[in-house]
Amino acid sequence: MTAGERLASPAHLERLVELFHSSTISRSMGITLHYDEEQRAVFDLPYDGRFDHFLNDVHGGAIATLIDNAGWFAAAARYPTWIVSVEFQVRLHEPAGRQPLQAIGSIVRAGKRITSTEMVVRNASGVLVATGSGSFAVTSSPHPER
Amino acid sequence: MTAGERLASPAHLERLVELFHSSTISRSMGITLHYDEEQRAVFDLPYDGRFDHFLNDVHGGAIATLIDNAGWFAAAARYPTWIVSVEFQVRLHEPAGRQPLQAIGSIVRAGKRITSTEMVVRNASGVLVATGSGSFAVTSSPHPER
Amino acid sequence: MTAGERLASPAHLERLVELFHSSTISRSMGITLHYDEEQRAVFDLPYDGRFDHFLNDVHGGAIATLIDNAGWFAAAARYPTWIVSVEFQVRLHEPAGRQPLQAIGSIVRAGKRITSTEMVVRNASGVLVATGSGSFAVTSSPHPER
Amino acid sequence: MTAGERLASPAHLERLVELFHSSTISRSMGITLHYDEEQRAVFDLPYDGRFDHFLNDVHGGAIATLIDNAGWFAAAARYPTWIVSVEFQVRLHEPAGRQPLQAIGSIVRAGKRITSTEMVVRNASGVLVATGSGSFAVTSSPHPER
């Protein structure tokens, strides 16, 4: 795979999915990842009430966790080398409504040094809960072995 | 208390601290809040390995959770009425280093309609892990009863 | 027109176009505005070399001017009352290439208190020069008379 | 000078000041740059009414121009090699009040690949008009000759 190439190999995506599911945050929060047919990163968070703010709906931090993941994994799909999160922004539009959430991350521009992504979070009813955007630095290091 | 006034009453701050600790995310992640002498919102997250990314350090989403909280609670201290998160940005500077993290949120400007905050996250060694900023809409509704 | 309604009246859009063209920045920089069939705000900036950085291409500030305008005017089209810029973010992807630029602003979510927009800037060759996003506070005041 | 070193040489700063003043945007808008004793980048914009929005106060785009410059020149002072703007965010707090504006950019963190900056804009009365933050990618290329 060449940096910024349109399509990643299935093996590269499988490895990323496996890496994500090996993280403790994935297990602690019950978040899962798959890539859709456009190689966008799709994260699902079930609703279980453990990550609520004091008014008993999903905390913005849980939403930000999805947005951060969606950006990084959308970007990582495009590069054979390691990428590093620089920053991301979260825009909160509607309450999650105590529902499962799905975040989708996609590439806005895959550059040589920086890749930019956008992220969308909807609840199970289709309500636009949040949007986000982020930038990630592309390094020349290989993906680290775990 | 008048909107934007420099100092909140101790009772208002106590109530906010109590509200935060009643949230499930506070308990699930072990996050605690206090206000310092300048009425900045100070959040502490212990390191316990449950919210790590796949390279086994604190996930950006956990850091974003601190930043979101630090902004909202810094802002809420200044207003007798309810405030709503509009957006926040997270800049990731250094790995958390598998250490406890502390986030401090403070007011940049407390307006009639919007309040802006800035947030700083350091680890127990004093390393600047992340910075953030956010905006919050001021409503005319009272703080909801739980 | 009701706040957040899908379509603005032609008279409302005409008034906004006229207001923009009455601004000194419009004339000083040669920027023009029209609304497209989806009522997105479309701004055109000719290239004339007067707003270049020291490497002789369009300065990020000129691009940010387009992005700010595109957000505000996309948002203002949806509301009968006055709106106020809260913040906007600019992501710079490619040099403008000493070409005319076009920015398009559209609504992500039109809320009661806050509206969020996204903005895209391309040069005359179609290169994605920049993207942006912003939030705007909705007031209950009428649009001021000039 | 080594990347990220605390102090730049006077010659490096002088060259940056000279480069800025050679830009057409500097002359078209009347913006000037100097570095203060902490090597923060200080930009001054006189008020002359040519870059106003339609309510006859300084346009957010002119403020964003100051913020973009303040970030880039604060960052460039720390690196012997070329840096590239990735993104910046602008938070608008108060009207400029038809007054001269001063923007100050300073480093939040100077990394190997990315440097983060914060920017503050005040008017001549000391009112906090806007704040900003940005990230810049550090390249290995020398500063280009003009």
Side-chain angles (χ1 to χ4, degrees):
Chain A
M1 189 176 62
T2 315
E5 205 177 86
R6 179 112 201 112
L7 290 183
S9 71
H12 184 60
L13 298 184
E14 270 165 44
R15 179 169 152 72
L16 288 170
V17 167
E18 191 183 298
L19 280 173
F20 176 69
H21 291 122
S22 75
S23 66
T24 61
I25 201 171
S26 150
R27 279 171 278 145
S28 296
M29 296 183 71
I31 305 172
T32 57
L33 161 66
H34 73 276
Y35 284 93
D36 70 10
E37 66 289 349
E38 299 173 52
Q39 304 201 336
R40 300 181 303 178
V42 183
F43 285 86
D44 283 286
L45 172 70
Y47 178 70
D48 68 9
R50 286 182 303 136
F51 300 98
D52 283 4
H53 54 63
F54 62 79
L55 290 179
N56 303 314
D57 202 349
V58 183
H59 193 278
I63 295 166
T65 300
L66 292 175
I67 281 180
D68 181 14
N69 277 323
W72 194 92
F73 280 88
R78 290 291 183 89
Y79 294 89
T81 54
W82 186 244
I83 64 162
V84 176
S85 299
V86 175
E87 53 78 37
F88 58 95
Q89 195 192 23
V90 176
R91 298 184 177 281
L92 297 160
H93 302 307
E94 295 280 358
R98 307 169 62 105
Q99 292 189 24
L101 297 178
Q102 184 173 82
I104 302 183
S106 50
I107 298 281
V108 172
R109 189 211 166 219
K112 204 174 59 179
R113 271 188 217 96
I114 297 286
T115 184
S116 285
T117 63
E118 61 184 13
M119 306 76 134
V120 171
V121 181
R122 292 186 182 277
N123 71 10
S125 305
V127 171
L128 184 68
V129 170
T131 51
S133 56
S135 49
F136 302 86
V138 182
T139 77
S140 53
S141 314
H143 277 239
E145 297 299 318
R146 292 194 71 246
Chain B
M1 189 175 61
T2 315
E5 205 176 86
R6 180 113 202 111
L7 290 182
S9 70
H12 184 59
L13 298 184
E14 269 164 46
R15 180 170 150 73
L16 288 169
V17 168
E18 192 181 297
L19 280 173
F20 176 69
H21 290 122
S22 75
S23 66
T24 61
I25 201 170
S26 149
R27 280 171 278 144
S28 297
M29 297 184 70
I31 305 172
T32 56
L33 161 66
H34 72 276
Y35 285 94
D36 69 9
E37 66 290 348
E38 299 173 51
Q39 304 202 336
R40 300 181 303 179
V42 183
F43 285 86
D44 284 286
L45 172 70
Y47 178 70
D48 67 9
R50 286 182 303 135
F51 300 98
D52 283 4
H53 54 62
F54 62 78
L55 290 179
N56 304 314
D57 201 350
V58 183
H59 192 278
I63 295 166
T65 300
L66 292 175
I67 281 181
D68 181 14
N69 276 324
W72 194 91
F73 281 87
R78 290 293 183 89
Y79 294 89
T81 54
W82 187 244
I83 64 162
V84 176
S85 299
V86 175
E87 52 77 39
F88 59 94
Q89 195 191 22
V90 177
R91 299 184 176 280
L92 298 160
H93 302 307
E94 295 279 358
R98 306 168 63 104
Q99 292 190 24
L101 296 178
Q102 184 173 81
I104 302 183
S106 50
I107 299 280
V108 172
R109 190 215 167 216
K112 204 175 59 179
R113 273 188 217 93
I114 297 287
T115 183
S116 285
T117 63
E118 61 183 15
M119 305 76 133
V120 171
V121 181
R122 292 184 182 277
N123 71 9
S125 305
V127 171
L128 184 68
V129 170
T131 51
S133 56
S135 49
F136 303 85
V138 182
T139 78
S140 53
S141 313
H143 277 239
E145 296 300 316
R146 291 193 74 246
Chain C
M1 190 175 64
T2 315
E5 204 176 87
R6 181 111 201 112
L7 290 183
S9 71
H12 185 60
L13 298 184
E14 269 164 46
R15 181 171 149 73
L16 289 170
V17 167
E18 190 182 299
L19 280 173
F20 177 68
H21 291 122
S22 76
S23 67
T24 61
I25 200 171
S26 149
R27 279 171 277 145
S28 297
M29 297 184 69
I31 305 173
T32 57
L33 161 66
H34 73 276
Y35 285 93
D36 69 10
E37 67 289 349
E38 299 173 51
Q39 305 202 334
R40 301 180 303 178
V42 183
F43 285 86
D44 284 286
L45 172 70
Y47 179 69
D48 67 10
R50 286 181 304 136
F51 300 98
D52 283 4
H53 54 62
F54 62 79
L55 291 178
N56 303 314
D57 201 350
V58 183
H59 192 278
I63 295 166
T65 300
L66 292 175
I67 281 181
D68 181 14
N69 276 324
W72 194 91
F73 281 88
R78 289 292 182 89
Y79 293 90
T81 54
W82 187 245
I83 65 163
V84 176
S85 299
V86 175
E87 53 78 39
F88 58 95
Q89 195 191 21
V90 177
R91 299 185 177 279
L92 297 160
H93 303 307
E94 295 280 358
R98 305 168 64 103
Q99 292 189 23
L101 297 178
Q102 184 172 81
I104 302 183
S106 50
I107 298 280
V108 172
R109 190 216 165 215
K112 205 175 58 180
R113 271 188 216 96
I114 297 285
T115 183
S116 285
T117 63
E118 61 184 14
M119 305 76 132
V120 171
V121 181
R122 292 185 182 276
N123 71 10
S125 304
V127 171
L128 184 67
V129 170
T131 51
S133 56
S135 49
F136 302 85
V138 182
T139 77
S140 54
S141 312
H143 278 239
E145 297 298 317
R146 293 193 72 247
Chain D
M1 187 175 64
T2 315
E5 204 175 87
R6 181 109 202 114
L7 289 184
S9 70
H12 184 61
L13 298 184
E14 269 165 44
R15 180 169 149 73
L16 288 170
V17 167
E18 192 182 298
L19 280 173
F20 176 70
H21 290 122
S22 75
S23 66
T24 61
I25 201 171
S26 148
R27 279 172 278 144
S28 296
M29 297 184 69
I31 305 172
T32 57
L33 161 66
H34 73 277
Y35 285 93
D36 70 9
E37 67 290 348
E38 299 172 52
Q39 305 202 333
R40 300 180 303 178
V42 183
F43 285 86
D44 284 286
L45 172 70
Y47 178 70
D48 67 10
R50 286 181 304 135
F51 300 98
D52 283 4
H53 54 62
F54 63 78
L55 290 179
N56 303 315
D57 201 351
V58 183
H59 192 278
I63 295 166
T65 300
L66 291 176
I67 281 180
D68 180 14
N69 276 324
W72 194 92
F73 281 88
R78 290 291 183 89
Y79 293 90
T81 54
W82 187 244
I83 66 163
V84 175
S85 299
V86 175
E87 53 77 38
F88 58 94
Q89 195 191 23
V90 177
R91 299 184 177 280
L92 297 160
H93 302 306
E94 294 280 358
R98 307 168 64 104
Q99 292 190 25
L101 297 178
Q102 184 173 80
I104 302 182
S106 50
I107 298 280
V108 172
R109 190 216 166 214
K112 203 175 58 179
R113 272 189 217 96
I114 297 286
T115 184
S116 285
T117 63
E118 61 184 14
M119 305 76 135
V120 171
V121 181
R122 291 184 182 276
N123 70 11
S125 305
V127 171
L128 184 67
V129 169
T131 51
S133 56
S135 49
F136 303 85
V138 182
T139 77
S140 53
S141 313
H143 278 239
E145 298 298 317
R146 293 193 74 247

